[in-house]
Amino acid sequence: MRFSGAFIPTKRDVPRDAVVISHQLMLRAGMMSQESAGIYTWLPFGLRALQRIEALICQEQERAGAVRLLMPTLQSAELWQESGRFDTYGPEMLRLQDRHQRDFVYGPTNEEMITALLRRYVSGAGAMPRMLYHVQWKFRDEARPRFGVMRCREFLMKDAYSFAQDEDEALQMYEAMFRCYIRSFARLGLYPLAVRAPTGPIGGDLSHEFHILAQTGESGLVYDKAYDKVYANVSDQRESRQGLILSDDAIERIRGVYAATDDMHDGGTCAVAEGDLNKARGIEVGHIFFFGTKYSRAMGLSVQGAGGTFYPQMGSYGIGLSRLVAAVIEANHDENGIIWPLSVAPFQVGLLNVRLGDSSCDDVAGSMYGMLEKAGISVLYDDRGLRAGVQFADMDLLGLPWQVIVGPKTAEKGQVELKWRRDGTRVTVGSEEAVKRILAGAGAVG
Ligand code: ATP
Ligand code: MG
């Protein structure tokens, strides 16, 4: 894509109302724009990041056996009256009426709707186990929307729902999704803690939240210092376009690290000694719940099994996709801007032509652009003809993993400068060699 037509309105100044770094960088990089409190337009560059993250998360959901569908944003209030949550959910839920004065809600979550859906189709043996998911906009009328897309009112969520024959099968599905989450986040370049958590308005018996450590996080956490060790072993692998793929062993070790929100932590019963615990703040990026027959029973979803009629044991599994964009930036930036992991970068390469109009620069940049596109590598080509300094600053701000810099001295020799954004290392190489190195997808330039 050519920068001149891309509609990426970058800004030099830090917007005054943005206090967390991801919010500042998302505004400066022209990723999103506020429409009203907690409601945003996703501008093209931000939308590309959101879509990359969505695709990766969906790939891992399918790998874990979940099947995608799409439920609507508007839900009949009757569903929520059946479960009893119409009265208990509270003011976060947006309620509205159609022209016939029928009550609706703008879905803050989908337990009721998916239970009613299965009730319509499922009755006999072989109906369980089942894991379904969708990606849909949610609305929650948060009391204090803040930190940009981190806590907003309209946000994109991946939510999955599991249905099982008995508690054993349900807990196995919960475990499978637990491991899937650790694996998914690592591919995004995030190393979350899995935290025992209260179940809140979803309700239920068992629940874990996934938190990224960040000083600006809204939750207080207590966790075993062993966390640093388990991730130190895996996080220095070379980056690839797949992102970091954790081994089953590594997932198991991460899964075993003790962590809890500070209101769930009990020093008296905790098996980890006081001196081995750390305290920190975290951003919740995912949340999984096991709640047994709470919804299936209330809403009359019953199944005829070999041993008689039963109510399926259910779980639900959420990931805030729009919040993840901000979390990835919180964990991957420096003083010059964003540093996208290869696995979710909106473009793989930023191509800079520092002297537009110079014939050798235009030739080399043009042929690089063609070669990369042909190789299936996404490129943002800065053809705006702005000063070199402005191009450099903008490209660092946008944080694409690779930069290819075309300047008059090197272009004459058919060469380009290749820069790896994460550590700033550069090499001068022939343009075909540059494409080869980018295709190899590995980290450092050398
Ligand atoms: P929080 O505690 O942050 O308010 P929650 O526990 O109410 O979140 P869940 O019902 O667990 O949220 O939703 C699943 C995921 O959706 C969360 O882990 C989070 O990533 C995301 N999410 C929830 N609320 C918001 C919001 N207001 N803005 C952006 N993302 C959100
Ligand atoms: Mg939660």
Side-chain angles (χ1 to χ4, degrees):
M1 189 178 288
R2 289 172 185 272
F3 208 143
S4 55
F7 194 49
I8 306 177
T10 56
K11 281 201 191 93
R12 219 132 307 268
D13 304 324
V14 177
R16 237 190 314 144
D17 55 332
V19 288
V20 300
I21 189 75
S22 57
H23 188 193
Q24 294 172 359
L25 288 172
M26 286 183 77
L27 290 171
R28 287 187 52 213
M31 293 178 69
M32 41 78 142
S33 184
Q34 187 174 322
E35 298 297 348
S36 43
I39 299 179
Y40 292 88
T41 290
W42 286 79
L43 296 172
F45 191 67
L47 181 60
R48 285 181 78 101
L50 184 61
Q51 287 173 330
R52 290 293 309 272
I53 288 174
E54 175 186 335
L56 190 154
I57 294 294
C58 290
Q59 195 181 41
E60 289 295 330
Q61 288 291 297
E62 308 264 335
R63 190 176 180 275
V67 178
R68 187 166 180 176
L69 46 63
L70 182 58
M71 291 175 274
T73 53
L74 291 185
Q75 306 185 15
S76 162
E78 282 167 27
L79 289 176
W80 290 73
Q81 279 148 357
E82 280 188 54
S83 72
R85 282 206 292 183
F86 192 69
D87 297 321
T88 57
Y89 201 94
E92 275 78 37
M93 187 155 76
L94 181 66
R95 297 148 207 260
L96 53 157
Q97 278 191 337
D98 70 5
R99 63 164 76 191
H100 307 293
Q101 282 78 53
R102 280 191 285 252
D103 292 319
F104 283 84
V105 308
Y106 193 116
T109 178
N110 280 63
E111 282 80 9
E112 283 80 357
M113 187 172 268
I114 193 105
T115 306
L117 185 80
L118 259 74
R119 184 174 64 190
R120 221 173 295 146
Y121 288 103
V122 156
S123 58
M128 306 288 124
R130 206 157 284 286
M131 175 85 82
L132 298 166
Y133 80 102
H134 76 161
V135 171
Q136 182 59 287
W137 294 93
K138 303 289 189 283
F139 193 91
R140 293 183 186 174
D141 202 353
E142 297 278 353
R144 279 185 301 143
R146 58 190 179 281
F147 307 154
V149 298
M150 197 87 90
R151 179 165 302 283
C152 46
R153 296 197 295 168
E154 190 181 72
F155 60 97
L156 192 62
M157 198 202 283
K158 182 289 300 174
D159 37 328
Y161 302 88
S162 65
F163 299 83
Q165 190 161 276
D166 52 35
E167 194 170 315
D168 274 359
E169 189 175 67
L171 290 174
Q172 276 171 32
M173 294 174 92
Y174 184 89
E175 283 302 316
M177 204 44 93
F178 198 130
R179 285 191 283 269
C180 166
Y181 271 36
I182 294 176
R183 190 180 142 98
S184 307
F185 292 129
R187 288 191 61 196
L188 296 171
L190 298 176
Y191 306 116
L193 275 165
V195 171
R196 273 303 286 271
T199 50
I202 310 277
D205 314 316
L206 179 63
S207 165
H208 286 87
E209 290 172 357
F210 294 80
H211 282 264
I212 308 303
L213 295 181
Q215 275 161 6
T216 48
E218 294 182 278
S219 319
L221 306 177
V222 180
Y223 66 95
D224 189 335
K225 287 176 179 167
Y227 162 82
D228 300 325
K229 258 187 256 143
V230 290
Y231 277 123
N233 290 335
V234 294
S235 58
D236 56 359
Q237 283 179 23
R238 266 165 97 90
E239 232 186 295
S240 77
R241 262 185 283 163
Q242 293 263 293
L244 177 67
I245 306 285
L246 291 177
S247 69
D248 291 345
D249 275 0
I251 292 175
E252 226 38 62
R253 281 198 301 278
I254 291 160
R255 162 124 187 49
V257 173
Y258 172 81
T261 51
D262 46 18
D263 46 345
M264 290 287 281
H265 174 70
D266 176 358
T269 58
C270 179
V272 184
E274 184 73 35
D276 294 330
L277 292 171
N278 265 344
K279 283 192 171 172
R281 305 206 64 79
I283 300 169
E284 179 192 324
V285 287
H287 198 166
I288 61 178
F289 304 87
F290 166 63
F291 42 71
T293 58
K294 177 175 174 191
Y295 295 93
S296 51
R297 201 178 281 275
M299 300 185 69
L301 165 63
S302 64
V303 175
Q304 200 67 44
T309 304
F310 68 90
Y311 292 109
Q313 301 271 342
M314 291 175 58
S316 73
Y317 313 87
I319 292 182
L321 297 178
S322 35
R323 181 180 289 181
L324 261 186
V325 177
V328 168
I329 295 172
E330 287 290 330
N332 295 278
H333 67 269
D334 64 11
E335 65 282 4
N336 298 322
I338 304 167
I339 305 174
W340 291 107
L342 274 174
S343 59
V344 291
F347 300 88
Q348 301 282 294
V349 178
L351 175 60
L352 292 79
N353 184 346
V354 302
R355 196 165 302 163
L356 198 77
D358 173 283
S359 65
S360 45
C361 283
D362 291 355
D363 282 355
V364 171
S367 88
M368 271 307 293
Y369 187 46
M371 280 191 286
L372 287 167
E373 295 250 289
K374 204 166 147 212
I377 300 281
S378 52
V379 188
L380 180 66
Y381 176 21
D382 195 343
D383 62 340
R384 296 174 301 171
L386 301 177
R387 279 189 297 112
V390 175
Q391 290 192 42
F392 290 139
D394 271 354
M395 228 22 122
D396 276 355
L397 172 64
L398 297 183
L400 305 175
W402 297 104
Q403 290 176 19
V404 173
I405 301 153
V406 180
K409 273 201 205 114
T410 42
E412 269 173 19
K413 294 181 253 168
Q415 291 180 319
V416 299
E417 230 183 324
L418 183 60
K419 173 174 155 184
W420 179 244
R421 170 69 177 89
R422 192 172 288 279
D423 61 10
T425 49
R426 298 158 176 251
V427 283
T428 302
V429 289
S431 39
E432 270 159 34
E433 174 64 17
V435 176
K436 224 184 275 171
R437 289 189 186 209
I438 290 165
L439 270 175
V445 165

